[in-house]
Amino acid sequence: MAAGEVCVTGLGLLTAAGDGVAATWERVLRGEPTAVVEHDPGPVHLACRVAAFDQARIGAIRARKPDRSTELAVLAAREAVADAGWDTARWDGARVGVVVGTSSGNAHTHEVQHRALLDGGPQDMSPFAVPSTLGNSVAAQLSMDLAAKGGCLTVNTACASGATALGVALDLLRAHRCDVVVAGGTDAPLTPYYIAGLDRVRALSQRFDDPAGAPRPFDADRDGFVLAEGAGMLVLERSDDARARGARPRARLLGYGAASDAHHVAQPCPAGSGLTAAIRAALHDAQVTAGEVGYVNAHATGTPLGDRIEAAVLAELLPHRPAVSSTKAVTGHPQGAAGAIEVALTVLTVQTGTMPPNVNLDQADVGVDLDLLTRPRTGPVPLALTTSVGFGGHNAVLAVAAP
Amino acid sequence: MSFAEWKPVLVSIGLSEDEVTAEATREEAGLDSLALMELSLVLRQRFGVVVTDEEMHEATTIAEVVELIDARRAG
């Protein structure tokens, strides 16, 4: 165990695939898609929604009227903290940090309050409109809910936000600015503005006659991603601290790499140079070689261009052909939550030695030369990578190792 | 309407089921200044009852808040 090494002691997930870590993991391994066709709000679209849950689980929290993205994050964070064996009434909150990645956080509340303002004037706006929609509000709510009084940050790298949050958390722990960090991502963008706006970008799958067949990461017939909601939160600690308190690390977070394409507001750089740089940086940070990577949980969302570029980058940097899968055919694409959910799934992969399959992969696209799993594969996975890419050219990669 | 009838409205704006009692002070029930404004908004939009934030601030306990709302509703 290297000095300053950081491990994952707790996981929390609330996704379209399931309520909780166990349910999500089970459905991801089973490979059962979640997309459904919706007509409201228009235009007609596919969606992967988190199933309804008992609102009493949220309780009365200080946000008063939390946005759905906040609710999802609170529930996932509570699960992660309990999984880590922590009692928030007992930890030294001053040493506990929170880092939340969110891309369109609080979108629903923002849109509802803007409508109230336009329709009824200022007096019809809730006094909670601004405090509930500022970019920091999910992280602030988590700090209150968890009595976490250390650094409390929000990061936004669009669809890489959740992965970036974990990279920032890793840095906070290595620098001894915190002893525990609750970090992850959340988004609930199934709102009129984001559905219509992403439809206008032509980013969304139009497979309305076969919703279960969408999205189709790496498949020749892919036509876009499916917008989803969800949250993934993790508890990170330095490994020596975790062991000293008798915690059971699920995995080690060995390295983080980030790079920007500096290319385009929505399209990835055709050469994949940012993603390449981020993967190399993560391997360097982890002090491992590319040949040690046994599995990659790919960002691949099912868009024609993005998947092709990512496949080419992975094939070039990892010529020994490690197993690769995208779990988005089951979870959909929950934007800023995606990276954190996929780090959590990668933690489960290295911990259990079970690699999840690609789903809706009938025929890999021409030029995609990867060992793409079409059913779960078992075997030791000492080292795995997970990639995340966001609008604006953000790339974030984490290296995860077995405990 | 009685306290029991208004309580769900108070809970609906985000107050704790347990903390909203007739005897509780506004502070104990979590009815801070923002929550008071939210309550005024909900009362106007859902019940057509107009109570200003300033009037709400005069009430010390939840029972007094409910009394004020009832008085306005009757008026």
Side-chain angles (χ1 to χ4, degrees):
Chain A
M1 180 174 71
E5 180 190 275
V6 170
C7 67
V8 177
T9 53
L11 299 179
L13 291 172
L14 189 48
T15 71
D19 185 342
V21 172
T24 296
W25 181 233
E26 194 273 328
R27 187 156 180 168
V28 164
L29 290 182
R30 188 152 39 93
E32 186 185 338
T34 60
V36 296
V37 181
E38 294 184 344
H39 292 83
D40 184 36
V44 58
H45 60 275
L46 295 170
C48 298
R49 284 190 186 270
V50 171
F53 52 83
D54 181 1
Q55 283 291 311
R57 281 169 62 191
I58 300 291
I61 62 177
R62 291 184 211 177
R64 300 300 182 207
K65 292 169 72 122
D67 186 82
R68 186 163 172 83
S69 56
T70 299
E71 293 182 345
L72 301 180
V74 164
L75 293 177
R78 288 178 187 164
E79 183 186 22
V81 169
D83 182 47
W86 276 112
D87 174 355
T88 59
R90 291 172 171 228
W91 63 14
D92 178 6
R95 298 293 300 163
V96 180
V98 170
V99 187
V100 174
T102 185
S103 179
S104 57
N106 306 305
H108 175 75
T109 302
H110 214 135
E111 291 176 37
V112 167
Q113 291 302 322
H114 194 206
R115 173 53 59 196
L117 171 64
L118 296 178
D119 288 352
Q123 71 279 9
D124 272 14
M125 278 180 81
S126 166
F128 294 107
V130 169
S132 296
T133 58
L134 289 176
N136 73 314
S137 66
V138 180
Q141 186 55 49
L142 285 187
S143 78
M144 291 177 240
D145 199 66
L146 304 175
K149 301 174 185 175
C152 182
L153 305 173
T154 306
V155 299
N156 189 338
T157 53
C159 297
S161 300
T164 302
L166 289 158
V168 170
L170 180 62
D171 289 344
L172 290 173
L173 287 161
R174 284 173 169 171
H176 288 256
R177 294 194 190 282
C178 298
D179 292 337
V180 179
V181 181
V182 181
T186 187
D187 260 325
L190 290 166
T191 65
Y193 187 90
Y194 279 93
I195 290 166
L198 288 165
D199 188 73
R200 296 289 288 165
V201 182
R202 298 178 184 272
L204 303 177
S205 172
Q206 305 290 304
R207 209 175 175 89
F208 306 132
D209 57 346
D210 175 29
R216 311 178 67 78
F218 297 122
D219 187 79
D221 200 24
R222 67 191 184 280
D223 73 331
F225 68 79
V226 176
L227 197 58
E229 52 185 3
M233 300 299 300
L234 292 82
V235 175
L236 308 184
E237 303 171 59
R238 285 181 299 277
S239 297
D240 47 3
D241 290 350
R243 292 206 166 86
R245 72 174 180 91
R248 169 211 53 165
R250 283 180 173 271
R252 294 173 295 146
L253 201 53
L254 279 195
Y256 166 61
S260 296
D261 288 351
H263 171 71
H264 190 272
V265 69
Q267 290 177 2
C269 169
S273 51
L275 181 57
T276 298
I279 291 173
R280 285 189 171 137
L283 293 171
H284 182 260
D285 190 40
Q287 300 182 8
V288 295
T289 60
E292 294 175 63
V293 175
Y295 168 76
V296 181
N297 186 305
H299 177 74
T301 63
T303 60
L305 185 61
D307 291 14
R308 184 167 73 231
I309 292 170
E310 183 173 10
V313 167
L314 294 177
E316 185 186 338
L317 292 187
L318 307 170
H320 62 294
R321 292 172 58 87
V324 176
S325 59
S326 163
T327 40
K328 285 194 177 72
V330 178
T331 62
H333 187 10
Q335 310 274 284
I341 290 168
E342 288 155 22
V343 171
L345 296 174
T346 306
V347 165
L348 291 164
T349 297
V350 301
Q351 185 189 7
T352 64
T354 308
M355 293 165 262
N358 290 282
V359 181
N360 293 329
L361 180 63
D362 293 337
Q363 174 72 52
D365 198 5
V366 175
V368 173
D369 182 21
L370 300 170
D371 180 13
L372 293 171
L373 305 178
T374 52
R375 60 192 56 175
R377 181 183 292 170
T378 54
V381 186
L383 180 71
L385 295 181
T386 174
T387 53
S388 291
V389 177
F391 271 15
H394 303 282
N395 301 274
V397 176
L398 287 136
V400 182
Chain B
M1 277 167 81
S2 66
F3 165 75
E5 289 167 298
W6 285 115
K7 178 169 177 171
V9 178
L10 291 163
V11 171
S12 77
I13 65 165
L15 304 190
S16 160
E17 181 96 40
D18 299 336
E19 289 169 3
V20 177
T21 63
E23 304 73 34
T25 61
R26 283 198 288 106
E27 194 172 60
E28 287 165 345
L31 200 57
D32 57 26
S33 60
L34 290 186
L36 274 184
M37 290 168 72
E38 179 75 16
L39 181 59
S40 297
L41 179 64
V42 167
L43 290 171
R44 176 166 58 79
Q45 289 184 332
R46 282 175 33 197
F47 301 95
V49 177
V50 177
V51 188
T52 67
D53 306 335
E54 291 74 19
E55 291 168 327
M56 287 280 199
H57 276 285
E58 304 277 313
T60 310
T61 64
I62 295 299
E64 288 171 19
V65 169
V66 168
E67 210 172 293
L68 179 61
I69 298 168
D70 272 339
R72 283 306 150 86
R73 186 182 172 89

